[in-house]
Amino acid sequence: MKKHATGLIKGLLKYCLGFGVLFLVLGENWAPNGANPGIRGLLQQTPDYAAFIALAAIAATCMSIQFVRWFVLVRALDLPFTLSNAFRLGLVGSFWNTFLPGSVGGDLMKAYIIARDTPGKRAAAVATVVADRLVGLFGLIWFSAVFGGGFWLAGDARIVGNAYLEKIILVCSVLVALAVIGWIALGFLPQSRQDRFAGRLEQIPRLGKTLAELWYVFCTYRRRSKAIYTTIAMTAVVHVGFVFMFHLAVRVFPANEPGTVPEHFVVAPIGYIAQAFFPAPGGVGGGEFIFGYLYTLLQRPEGTGVIGRLTMRVVEWSIGLIGLYFFLRMRRVLPSVEEEAEKEGYGGHEPIHVGQ
């Protein structure tokens, strides 16, 4: 009883944090300021419905590609899984991550259900979700490094001389280089050293056995690298879509200074990475703050970035409500997921909201 009360309080605090930050950001950018119409002025304009429909279509397409990406990663480990189940569980996970502040989150809920349907392969089930998130995160970092670095080298005026953006691009470039080096090195690691490292992981209290199993699963992914390369290519398509989603979102309510496509190729991936670590459900509040701040780095009105991210959130909430339909159909299975998952060692993780 005490544990459930603590979880309820933590969930309420996350809601309060997210919507508190959102209201604060909206309040600071609400009123007009000189040539800047403010959020109030933007909302008084006639929306560009064509831009909104295009935004929704791209969002649905990107989410579908993400579900297929997860399906590819699951099948690469020879786990029994269907594409229809990938879409069904993916939509439920989207609802869970968008609206619910539970400690397990939609991603681990998906892993738990797969593991329950495939006894003895719990680590593999968890690894598919972890790998899916890592591929998505790598894609965002790679995107920022390649496109940001390209525009920087081309002398883009919004990047050259902007120390903050230059630093972010450099950090992303270093992370990409380290990830690539680590991936290549793993391919040359002999089985004896893989076993030795797994033995060290097993010595970790409580989590050792699970971590060792996860290590072997990721070694399997390295041997079956075609699946990883396929999903990275799919991720690149998704992130191009994410950039154009934000590009369209700031144009739904016509702004006086919307960003350009090159600018959005630089700042949008950075915004998606940053909001993933904000603890509120769906990153609400944090995403609006981050995208507004990034717009100030482009020397454009903060409110334009805020309203753009909020417009995207309307689409995300709509897709999440579709997931609610499948959530209610699976109601007999899902109520015990969080409690049982924590008992089995799945708990203690925050959901990742990247496009994730």
Side-chain angles (χ1 to χ4, degrees):
M1 185 68 179
K2 183 178 179 181
K3 187 174 182 180
H4 288 293
T6 302
L8 178 61
I9 293 173
K10 287 175 62 177
L12 290 174
L13 289 175
K14 290 178 182 180
Y15 279 120
C16 291
L17 173 64
F19 285 99
V21 172
L22 178 61
F23 290 138
L24 179 64
V25 171
L26 290 176
E28 289 183 347
N29 294 277
W30 185 259
N33 182 14
N36 178 11
I39 293 177
R40 183 177 65 188
L42 292 175
L43 293 176
Q44 288 173 349
Q45 301 182 62
T46 302
D48 186 339
Y49 293 107
F52 185 79
I53 292 172
L55 162 62
I58 294 174
T61 302
C62 288
M63 184 161 287
S64 297
I65 294 174
Q66 288 178 311
F67 296 159
V68 175
R69 181 182 71 189
W70 180 43
F71 171 76
V72 171
L73 290 170
V74 174
R75 292 300 299 136
L77 297 180
D78 298 323
L79 296 176
F81 200 47
T82 64
L83 189 58
S84 61
N85 276 339
F87 273 77
R88 183 167 58 97
L89 288 178
L91 285 168
V92 173
S94 175
F95 163 73
W96 205 299
N97 280 340
T98 301
F99 294 107
L100 303 182
S103 62
V104 173
D107 294 328
L108 289 178
M109 177 277 299
K110 296 186 296 184
Y112 176 75
I113 290 181
I114 294 180
R116 191 160 67 176
D117 292 341
T118 53
K121 295 187 176 182
R122 186 180 78 169
V126 173
T128 64
V129 177
V130 175
D132 186 49
R133 294 303 138 202
L134 288 177
V135 168
L137 183 59
F138 173 79
L140 281 172
I141 297 173
W142 172 87
F143 217 74
S144 298
V146 171
F147 285 95
F151 291 126
W152 185 6
L153 293 175
D156 188 283
R158 300 283 181 174
I159 299 176
V160 176
N162 189 320
Y164 189 81
L165 287 179
E166 290 177 353
K167 184 183 295 185
I168 290 175
I169 293 170
L170 285 174
V171 170
C172 289
S173 300
V174 170
L175 291 175
V176 169
L178 291 175
V180 171
I181 292 171
W183 177 256
I184 294 173
L186 183 59
F188 290 97
L189 197 66
Q191 186 65 46
S192 59
R193 293 199 174 183
Q194 293 179 19
D195 295 338
R196 188 183 309 167
F197 185 68
R200 292 175 180 174
L201 290 175
E202 288 180 345
Q203 297 175 8
I204 298 175
R206 295 186 62 186
L207 297 175
K209 184 177 179 181
T210 299
L211 291 175
E213 292 174 351
L214 286 173
W215 165 249
Y216 279 126
V217 170
F218 282 109
C219 290
T220 301
Y221 273 130
R222 182 61 183 89
R223 291 192 298 271
R224 302 179 181 182
S225 56
K226 182 179 178 181
I228 299 298
Y229 299 145
T230 300
T231 55
I232 289 176
M234 296 168 70
T235 300
V237 175
V238 168
H239 291 326
V240 170
F242 282 170
V243 171
F244 280 101
M245 283 167 57
F246 183 67
H247 185 73
L248 289 167
V250 297
R251 285 163 169 75
V252 171
F253 295 95
N256 55 348
E257 294 185 62
T260 64
V261 170
E263 289 172 345
H264 290 156
F265 263 91
V266 175
V267 300
I270 296 170
Y272 293 130
I273 294 171
Q275 75 168 16
F277 298 97
F278 192 73
V284 64
E288 286 72 14
F289 171 81
I290 291 162
F291 276 88
Y293 173 69
L294 289 171
Y295 243 58
T296 64
L297 296 181
L298 298 175
Q299 300 174 14
R300 298 187 182 279
E302 180 180 354
T304 303
V306 173
I307 197 67
R309 185 62 189 90
L310 192 58
T311 302
M312 287 183 58
R313 194 168 299 285
V314 172
V315 175
E316 293 168 356
W317 283 340
S318 300
I319 294 175
L321 289 175
I322 296 175
L324 174 61
Y325 167 76
F326 293 97
F327 174 82
L328 293 175
R329 290 192 62 180
M330 298 173 64
R331 192 63 178 166
R332 294 180 180 178
V333 177
L334 294 175
S336 61
V337 167
E338 184 160 338
E339 182 178 348
E340 292 185 33
E342 289 182 352
K343 186 188 303 182
E344 294 293 327
Y346 289 85
H349 302 271
E350 295 294 338
I352 298 177
H353 308 292
V354 175
Q356 352 142 331

